[in-house]
Amino acid sequence: MKAFIVERYGKKEKLQLTEIAEPVVRNTDVLVQIHAAGVNLLDSKLRNGEFKMILPYKTPFTLGHDVSGVITKVGSNVSKFKVGDEVYARAADHQIGTFAEFISINENDVAMKPNNLSMEEAASIPLVGLTAWQALVEKANLKKEQKVFIQAGSGGVGTVAIQLAKHLDATVATTTSSANIGLVKSLGADIIIDYKKEDFETILKDYDVVLNSQDTKTLEKSLRILKPNGKVISISGPPDPDFGKEINANWFLKIALKFLSAGIRKKAKRLGLNYSFLFMRAQGEQLSQITKLIESGVIKPVMDKVFPLEQTNEAMAYVETGRAKGKVVVKVI
Ligand SMILES: NC(=O)c1ccc[n+]([C@@H]2O[C@H](COP(=O)([O-])OP(=O)(O)OC[C@H]3O[C@@H](n4cnc5c(N)ncnc54)[C@H](OP(=O)(O)O)[C@@H]3O)[C@@H](O)[C@H]2O)c1
């Protein structure tokens, strides 16, 4: 089958389109014929080698985390899916490879594709949808009438997180540039801050939750808009010791993670706040909940561009500009 592989780590390295063997289908796996693959910044960061400590993939490996497609084979112990099912997923770490024609995925990581979405739209959802879910529902336990600040409302994560937070009846503040104000408003954002003209720290006060996806300076400023006992959940780092436990890190990595997040954890503690890092994970049950929200019209995908499979490198370069409005997807068939 055709696959885009990382041959060598590096920022300037391009993925190579090559022929590789079809994946082996384990007992609990489903084989998915890939129709579309969502592109995420995580793909670029992995190729650059930025995640080698946490996710030490050995080259060559096939890149790509998000997938939509049709099941063509099921392992002997698969109970939830059958051949012909239209599904989508965020492939689990160490089992990635959606920039290809087929992928074998554990059935627990898969969900039925929302029936009101095209394959391209469905492939745009899993990684960012699960990130929003795990940040706002699982970690923050966001409640009715609470106030949440979601940075970068026009990005992949932001567009889904705003819609999910509004579904939970929270008040949503977000940042974006002037060109995307209409977009975040249409998604339901209540307070919109043009980050190029205004400083959110001078506008937002007494927030319950911050979903941080930007740099260290933004993270530190975010602490100052929270009320006591408020929660800051960062998806852009720094990783904390709990994350080390989650991934069963070795002692060296555990110490490194403790050290990396010591400053922000100390500042948060001084203000009576709770800092946590989220590295989202594959999760079929949660994705099924997201399917329901999509089918009932609560969450709508926001698509920027669709590229053909042959232009996977161009699709990644587009995402790397940091200007995407919603999601970028590669169409395989
Ligand atoms: N830890 C995890 O599990 C996890 C999961 C998903 C993503 N992430 C990380 O979270 C970050 C965001 O991911 P994403 O997929 O949402 O990114 P994205 O879709 O590439 O974000 C692009 C958007 O960000 C906006 N933006 C850029 N700079 C901004 C700023 N200073 N303030 C407000 N908005 C700004 C841009 O809007 P304008 O054009 O208007 O500036 C653009 O619409 C990335 O670093 C990604 O790697 C982590």
Side-chain angles (χ1 to χ4, degrees):
M1 66 168 188
K2 278 189 211 151
F4 266 99
I5 61 164
V6 175
E7 231 166 38
R8 265 185 309 274
Y9 281 111
K11 212 169 182 165
K12 294 200 176 120
E13 293 294 332
K14 295 244 179 297
L15 304 189
Q16 301 297 323
L17 182 58
T18 180
E19 283 287 329
I20 60 168
E22 261 188 37
V24 174
V25 184
R26 289 149 299 207
N27 291 348
T28 50
D29 280 2
V30 296
L31 184 69
V32 179
Q33 179 168 26
I34 300 172
H35 283 234
V39 183
N40 291 284
L41 275 169
L42 177 60
D43 297 313
S44 305
K45 291 179 183 180
L46 269 187
R47 180 212 54 207
N48 297 351
E50 290 170 39
F51 276 78
K52 267 191 206 164
M53 286 265 279
I54 296 167
L55 294 168
Y57 290 101
K58 280 211 172 80
T59 55
F61 64 93
T62 309
L63 199 60
H65 293 78
D66 276 338
V67 60
S68 67
V70 177
I71 294 180
T72 56
K73 204 189 238 183
V74 294
S76 53
N77 293 341
V78 166
S79 59
K80 299 180 197 154
F81 299 96
K82 59 180 188 319
V83 168
D85 282 347
E86 295 193 343
V87 293
Y88 69 152
R90 188 282 202 201
D93 294 326
H94 304 290
Q95 286 164 33
I96 64 169
T98 62
F99 299 156
E101 290 181 297
F102 290 90
I103 185 166
S104 188
I105 310 180
N106 188 302
E107 68 166 338
N108 292 333
D109 300 335
V110 176
M112 293 299 281
K113 165 187 157 297
N115 55 28
N116 55 339
L117 296 193
S118 67
M119 283 289 184
E120 291 83 57
E121 288 171 325
S124 77
I125 295 288
L127 191 144
V128 293
L130 288 167
T131 303
W133 186 278
Q134 289 164 15
L136 301 180
V137 178
E138 207 172 58
K139 273 200 185 276
N141 194 16
L142 188 65
K143 293 265 184 317
K144 195 174 170 155
E145 284 164 21
Q146 283 193 320
K147 298 199 291 185
V148 58
F149 171 41
I150 295 167
Q151 296 163 9
S154 52
V157 175
T159 48
V160 180
I162 292 174
Q163 297 180 80
L164 181 59
K166 287 314 297 174
H167 170 66
L168 299 169
D169 282 330
T171 297
V172 177
T174 194
T175 43
T176 191
S177 66
S178 48
N180 295 326
I181 287 175
L183 169 66
V184 296
K185 201 175 217 166
S186 74
L187 299 173
D190 301 290
I191 298 137
I192 301 167
I193 298 161
D194 182 339
Y195 71 88
K196 292 192 176 158
K197 295 186 187 144
E198 298 164 305
D199 181 354
F200 70 82
E201 193 189 343
T202 63
I203 300 170
L204 307 178
K205 211 174 113 193
D206 291 336
Y207 270 63
D208 297 283
V209 177
V210 173
L211 175 50
N212 180 78
S213 58
Q214 304 299 309
D215 57 11
T216 311
K217 199 170 156 209
T218 308
L219 175 59
E220 295 201 350
K221 275 158 79 135
S222 294
L223 297 181
R224 299 194 281 270
I225 68 149
L226 283 162
K227 56 163 79 147
N229 286 323
K231 294 176 185 164
V232 56
I233 297 156
S234 178
I235 57 171
S236 51
D240 60 4
D242 283 346
F243 171 63
K245 282 186 210 145
E246 268 168 45
I247 61 164
N248 236 331
N250 61 32
W251 66 270
F252 174 75
L253 185 54
K254 276 192 181 138
I255 291 172
L257 297 177
K258 203 170 167 184
F259 176 74
L260 278 173
S261 58
I264 194 73
R265 285 187 292 118
K266 202 166 160 193
K267 281 179 185 145
K269 199 170 169 196
R270 211 180 291 141
L271 294 166
L273 306 170
N274 188 302
Y275 172 79
S276 66
F277 172 71
L278 168 70
F279 190 71
M280 64 76 57
R281 63 191 194 286
Q283 230 290 347
E285 284 292 322
Q286 291 174 352
L287 196 54
S288 297
Q289 301 286 319
I290 294 170
T291 298
K292 284 187 201 144
L293 294 182
I294 293 172
E295 289 179 345
S296 59
V298 169
I299 293 178
K300 296 186 178 69
V302 178
M303 303 281 288
D304 187 325
K305 268 192 181 187
V306 178
F307 289 79
L309 178 68
E310 292 67 30
Q311 287 179 24
T312 299
N313 281 304
E314 289 76 3
M316 285 174 62
Y318 183 71
V319 171
E320 285 161 33
T321 63
R323 295 280 81 79
K325 270 191 193 189
K327 292 293 300 178
V328 172
V329 167
V330 164
K331 183 174 166 58
V332 180
I333 51 173

XYZ file of all heavy atoms in Angstrom, residues 39-42 45 51 90 127-128 131-132 134 150-159 174-181 183 193 195-196 212-215 218 234-237 277-281 304 318-327, ligand 1:
491
model
N -4.977 16.321 9.594
C -3.587 16.735 9.822
C -3.535 17.557 11.113
O -4.372 18.434 11.326
C -3.063 17.573 8.640
C -1.594 17.951 8.839
C -3.237 16.812 7.329
N -2.565 17.242 11.958
C -2.424 17.942 13.241
C -0.997 18.438 13.409
O -0.063 17.857 12.855
C -2.765 16.978 14.381
C -4.237 16.620 14.398
O -5.068 17.422 14.813
N -4.572 15.426 13.910
N -0.855 19.476 14.257
C 0.507 19.962 14.533
C 1.369 18.869 15.149
O 2.586 18.856 14.977
C 0.456 21.182 15.463
C 0.234 22.513 14.746
C -0.075 23.614 15.739
C 1.454 22.894 13.890
N 0.716 17.930 15.842
C 1.454 16.807 16.431
C 2.236 16.044 15.361
O 3.349 15.566 15.618
C 0.472 15.870 17.155
C 1.049 14.602 17.768
C 2.124 14.905 18.813
C -0.066 13.751 18.402
N 5.347 18.032 14.724
C 6.246 18.003 15.882
C 6.944 16.641 15.995
O 8.114 16.577 16.347
C 5.464 18.323 17.159
C 5.000 19.790 17.199
C 4.195 20.110 18.442
C 3.702 21.556 18.398
N 2.918 21.938 19.577
N 9.219 15.154 19.955
C 8.579 14.267 20.935
C 9.376 12.992 21.180
O 8.844 12.036 21.734
C 7.157 13.919 20.462
C 6.151 14.957 20.840
C 6.052 16.128 20.116
C 5.324 14.790 21.942
C 5.137 17.108 20.473
C 4.404 15.762 22.302
C 4.313 16.922 21.566
N -8.840 8.407 16.366
C -7.485 8.939 16.568
C -6.700 7.663 16.874
O -6.962 7.005 17.888
C -7.495 9.900 17.768
C -6.209 10.687 18.002
C -5.132 9.882 18.660
N -4.173 10.789 19.302
C -2.946 10.455 19.621
N -2.475 9.253 19.338
N -2.162 11.317 20.223
N -8.780 13.862 16.912
C -7.749 14.363 17.832
C -8.193 15.645 18.539
O -8.092 15.746 19.769
C -6.419 14.557 17.106
C -5.225 14.821 18.036
C -3.942 14.176 17.518
C -4.982 16.307 18.266
N -8.749 16.583 17.788
C -9.148 17.843 18.446
C -10.421 17.666 19.272
O -10.578 18.275 20.333
C -9.297 19.008 17.436
C -7.959 19.366 16.840
C -10.331 18.718 16.348
N -9.396 16.024 22.446
C -8.637 16.988 23.267
C -9.614 17.891 24.021
O -9.484 18.092 25.235
C -7.727 17.860 22.372
O -6.855 17.000 21.633
C -6.894 18.823 23.198
N -10.598 18.417 23.294
C -11.584 19.300 23.933
C -12.347 18.541 25.011
O -12.553 19.040 26.121
C -12.540 19.851 22.872
N -11.425 15.769 26.705
C -10.587 15.388 27.856
C -10.193 16.605 28.695
O -10.004 16.492 29.911
C -9.364 14.588 27.372
C -9.779 13.196 26.899
C -8.769 12.444 26.063
O -7.595 12.790 26.011
N -9.218 11.404 25.379
N -10.959 29.929 26.370
C -10.386 29.003 25.392
C -9.526 29.808 24.429
O -10.053 30.616 23.651
C -11.519 28.261 24.638
C -12.296 27.368 25.618
C -10.958 27.445 23.477
C -13.615 26.829 25.088
N -8.216 29.615 24.515
C -7.324 30.392 23.633
C -7.408 29.891 22.193
O -7.672 28.723 21.956
C -5.886 30.272 24.145
C -5.708 30.876 25.517
C -4.445 30.412 26.186
O -3.609 29.757 25.565
N -4.292 30.751 27.458
N -7.145 30.793 21.276
C -7.109 30.447 19.839
C -8.398 29.756 19.382
O -8.373 28.623 18.896
C -5.884 29.573 19.536
N -9.508 30.459 19.534
C -10.820 29.890 19.203
C -10.987 29.486 17.753
O -11.853 28.667 17.432
N -10.165 30.023 16.855
C -10.332 29.689 15.436
C -9.484 28.496 15.006
O -9.535 28.084 13.845
C -9.964 30.907 14.576
O -8.677 31.375 14.948
N -8.713 27.913 15.921
C -7.860 26.770 15.566
C -8.611 25.454 15.636
O -9.805 25.413 15.961
N -7.898 24.373 15.342
C -8.511 23.045 15.352
C -9.154 22.731 16.694
O -10.331 22.369 16.777
N -8.382 22.868 17.760
C -8.903 22.567 19.096
C -9.955 23.607 19.488
O -11.036 23.262 19.969
C -7.761 22.542 20.146
C -8.329 22.347 21.549
C -6.746 21.442 19.821
N -9.641 24.880 19.268
C -10.524 25.967 19.697
C -11.926 25.868 19.119
O -12.916 26.032 19.836
N -12.030 25.555 17.829
C -13.357 25.524 17.189
C -14.267 24.451 17.811
O -15.462 24.667 17.954
C -13.244 25.286 15.661
O -12.364 24.180 15.443
C -12.714 26.500 14.933
N -12.791 33.866 24.261
C -11.753 33.312 23.385
C -10.921 34.422 22.761
O -11.337 35.587 22.748
C -12.381 32.416 22.292
O -11.346 31.644 21.676
C -13.094 33.233 21.215
N -9.742 34.036 22.264
C -8.896 34.979 21.533
C -8.808 34.562 20.071
O -8.805 33.373 19.758
C -7.460 34.990 22.110
O -7.067 33.631 22.367
C -7.360 35.803 23.368
N -8.743 35.565 19.212
C -8.543 35.309 17.784
C -8.113 36.619 17.140
O -8.151 37.673 17.778
C -9.843 34.765 17.137
O -9.539 34.291 15.834
C -10.937 35.810 17.061
N -7.693 36.562 15.873
C -7.381 37.823 15.196
C -8.652 38.323 14.494
O -9.612 37.567 14.348
C -6.235 37.638 14.191
O -6.660 36.803 13.147
N -8.631 39.585 14.043
C -9.872 40.209 13.558
C -10.532 39.425 12.414
O -11.756 39.346 12.336
C -9.624 41.654 13.163
O -8.497 41.731 12.350
N -9.717 38.785 11.569
C -10.280 38.058 10.420
C -11.194 36.911 10.848
O -12.069 36.506 10.081
C -9.141 37.513 9.561
N -10.997 36.384 12.060
C -11.755 35.194 12.483
C -12.812 35.482 13.553
O -13.371 34.547 14.130
C -10.787 34.124 13.003
C -9.873 33.622 11.901
O -10.284 33.538 10.748
N -8.635 33.329 12.243
N -13.089 36.770 13.785
C -14.068 37.120 14.819
C -15.453 36.556 14.466
O -16.143 35.970 15.305
C -14.109 38.652 15.050
C -12.839 39.052 15.804
C -15.361 39.076 15.832
C -12.649 40.540 16.023
N -16.178 33.953 12.704
C -16.178 32.497 12.868
C -16.418 32.111 14.326
O -17.313 31.313 14.629
C -14.837 31.905 12.375
C -14.604 30.437 12.735
C -15.585 29.507 12.025
C -13.169 30.007 12.402
N -11.847 38.326 22.083
C -10.743 39.278 22.247
C -9.801 39.164 21.052
O -9.299 38.078 20.758
C -9.981 38.988 23.562
C -10.951 39.166 24.746
C -8.751 39.877 23.711
C -10.489 38.506 26.013
N -6.535 39.274 19.800
C -5.267 39.213 20.543
C -4.197 40.138 19.974
O -3.204 40.415 20.633
C -4.750 37.769 20.642
C -4.219 37.176 19.348
C -2.897 37.320 18.962
C -5.057 36.448 18.503
C -2.415 36.760 17.786
C -4.595 35.893 17.325
C -3.266 36.051 16.975
O -2.802 35.511 15.807
N -4.440 40.643 18.760
C -3.445 41.559 18.180
C -3.668 42.987 18.662
O -2.772 43.829 18.567
C -3.483 41.494 16.659
C -2.995 40.139 16.164
C -2.739 40.111 14.690
C -2.152 38.762 14.290
N -2.326 38.432 12.896
N -5.279 26.313 27.890
C -4.103 26.998 27.354
C -3.484 26.200 26.204
O -3.185 25.013 26.354
C -3.050 27.166 28.461
C -1.806 27.872 27.950
O -1.790 29.083 27.799
N -0.755 27.113 27.647
N -3.282 26.882 25.071
C -2.678 26.196 23.922
C -1.546 27.019 23.310
O -1.076 26.711 22.227
C -3.754 25.953 22.860
O -4.336 27.193 22.472
N -1.134 28.085 24.037
C -0.125 28.982 23.461
C 1.184 28.929 24.264
O 1.444 27.951 24.939
C -0.695 30.404 23.382
C -2.009 30.500 22.596
C -1.884 30.058 21.140
O -1.011 30.517 20.422
N -2.747 29.156 20.704
N 1.951 30.016 24.200
C 3.305 30.003 24.769
C 3.319 30.215 26.296
O 2.284 30.427 26.923
C 4.160 31.063 24.073
C 3.538 32.452 24.188
O 2.587 32.629 24.965
O 4.011 33.371 23.490
N 1.735 33.458 27.681
C 0.263 33.389 27.703
C -0.195 32.520 28.870
O -1.174 32.841 29.549
C -0.254 32.808 26.370
O 0.333 33.551 25.306
C -1.758 32.874 26.270
N -3.241 22.923 30.366
C -2.414 23.318 29.228
C -2.188 22.142 28.296
O -1.814 21.053 28.739
C -1.064 23.857 29.697
O -0.290 24.186 28.562
N -2.407 22.388 26.993
C -2.121 21.336 26.004
C -0.832 21.651 25.256
O -0.411 20.886 24.404
C -3.303 21.131 25.018
C -3.670 22.431 24.276
C -4.514 20.569 25.742
C -4.672 22.236 23.150
N -0.219 22.792 25.585
C 1.023 23.145 24.885
C 2.222 23.115 25.840
O 3.261 23.672 25.546
C 0.878 24.524 24.236
O 0.425 25.474 25.165
N 2.054 22.465 26.984
C 3.157 22.303 27.914
C 3.183 23.371 28.970
O 2.376 24.290 28.918
N -1.285 19.419 32.918
C -0.949 19.261 31.503
C -1.805 18.126 30.952
O -2.026 17.129 31.637
C 0.530 18.913 31.358
C 0.926 18.538 29.954
C 0.985 19.499 28.953
C 1.231 17.215 29.629
C 1.332 19.151 27.655
C 1.584 16.859 28.332
C 1.633 17.832 27.346
N -2.277 18.321 29.713
C -3.033 17.243 29.053
C -2.319 16.838 27.774
O -2.009 17.684 26.934
C -4.456 17.734 28.699
C -5.250 16.808 27.764
C -5.647 15.506 28.453
C -6.501 17.507 27.232
N -2.045 15.558 27.662
C -1.634 15.004 26.378
C -2.748 14.034 26.001
O -2.895 12.984 26.627
C -0.279 14.292 26.478
C 0.269 13.917 25.126
C 0.739 14.901 24.263
C 0.290 12.604 24.700
C 1.219 14.574 22.998
C 0.769 12.266 23.438
C 1.242 13.257 22.590
N -3.563 14.441 25.025
C -4.776 13.673 24.740
C -4.429 12.246 24.322
O -3.338 11.972 23.840
C -5.622 14.370 23.667
C -5.030 14.504 22.297
S -5.010 13.016 21.290
C -6.745 12.615 21.269
N -5.404 11.359 24.516
C -5.178 9.957 24.150
C -6.350 9.433 23.316
O -7.462 9.963 23.384
C -4.991 9.109 25.416
C -6.207 9.105 26.283
C -5.986 8.498 27.666
N -7.278 8.237 28.280
C -8.084 9.186 28.772
N -7.721 10.448 28.760
N -9.256 8.866 29.277
N -10.909 23.975 6.966
C -10.204 24.987 6.202
C -9.922 24.466 4.800
O -10.527 24.914 3.819
C -8.917 25.385 6.942
C -8.210 26.550 6.299
O -8.252 26.635 5.063
O -7.613 27.378 7.008
N 1.045 23.760 5.509
C -0.046 24.728 5.704
C -0.433 24.811 7.184
O -0.600 25.901 7.735
C -1.244 24.335 4.829
C -2.379 25.324 4.909
C -2.263 26.582 4.327
C -3.552 25.025 5.593
C -3.292 27.511 4.420
C -4.582 25.942 5.690
C -4.444 27.185 5.109
O -5.457 28.100 5.205
N -0.558 23.675 7.831
C -0.904 23.656 9.263
C 0.204 24.349 10.076
O -0.063 25.090 11.018
C -1.131 22.199 9.749
C -1.263 22.132 11.261
C -2.383 21.621 9.090
N 1.452 24.117 9.662
C 2.586 24.698 10.395
C 2.621 26.231 10.333
O 3.282 26.855 11.151
C 3.908 24.136 9.846
C 4.166 22.707 10.280
C 5.194 22.004 9.388
O 6.118 22.666 8.882
O 5.037 20.779 9.184
N 1.914 26.831 9.372
C 1.898 28.300 9.332
C 1.203 28.871 10.568
O 1.371 30.040 10.907
C 1.150 28.847 8.083
O -0.223 28.425 8.158
C 1.780 28.382 6.784
N 0.359 28.042 11.236
C -0.360 28.505 12.429
C -1.545 29.396 12.107
O -2.109 30.026 12.989
N -1.927 29.441 10.837
C -3.025 30.325 10.411
C -4.278 29.557 10.020
O -5.246 30.141 9.566
C -2.585 31.184 9.196
C -1.472 32.164 9.464
C -1.962 33.438 10.139
N -2.164 33.329 11.567
C -1.212 33.379 12.499
N 0.031 33.548 12.160
N -1.506 33.278 13.780
N -4.278 28.215 10.158
C -5.452 27.448 9.715
C -6.690 27.873 10.488
O -6.639 28.126 11.686
C -5.196 25.954 9.894
N -7.811 27.945 9.766
C -9.116 28.247 10.378
C -9.816 26.917 10.513
O -10.331 26.391 9.545
C -9.953 29.072 9.394
C -9.809 30.536 9.483
C -10.926 31.117 8.618
C -10.714 32.576 8.364
N -11.845 33.206 7.726
N -9.806 26.339 11.682
C -10.352 24.993 11.827
C -9.350 23.982 11.311
O -8.145 24.136 11.511
N -9.832 22.979 10.570
C -8.982 21.828 10.279
C -8.554 21.654 8.825
O -9.222 22.087 7.899
C -9.741 20.563 10.679
C -9.951 20.425 12.167
C -8.675 20.211 12.967
C -7.956 18.963 12.541
N -6.695 18.795 13.281
N -1.475 18.156 24.296
C -2.395 17.732 23.436
O -3.012 16.688 23.615
C -2.705 18.582 22.233
C -3.783 18.256 21.408
C -4.083 19.093 20.330
C -3.300 20.206 20.084
N -2.247 20.470 20.902
C -1.423 21.674 20.679
O -2.248 22.797 20.898
C -1.865 23.854 20.032
C -3.069 24.297 19.200
O -3.455 23.239 18.364
P -4.496 23.468 17.174
O -4.579 22.204 16.405
O -5.742 24.077 17.674
O -3.682 24.545 16.320
P -4.050 25.255 14.939
O -5.368 24.765 14.457
O -2.901 25.118 14.029
O -4.165 26.781 15.374
C -4.259 27.743 14.387
C -5.112 28.882 14.891
O -4.471 29.502 16.004
C -4.770 30.878 15.981
N -3.706 31.604 16.693
C -2.391 31.635 16.382
N -1.713 32.382 17.295
C -2.637 32.817 18.194
C -2.560 33.613 19.374
N -1.408 34.108 19.809
N -3.702 33.834 20.054
C -4.892 33.346 19.628
N -5.026 32.592 18.513
C -3.906 32.332 17.810
C -4.827 31.233 14.524
O -5.734 32.278 14.356
P -5.249 33.651 13.665
O -4.890 33.283 12.260
O -6.455 34.507 13.815
O -4.053 34.130 14.453
C -5.329 29.928 13.846
O -6.718 29.972 13.534
C -0.688 23.309 19.225
O 0.503 23.654 19.862
C -0.892 21.801 19.290
O 0.279 21.082 19.070
C -1.929 19.684 21.943
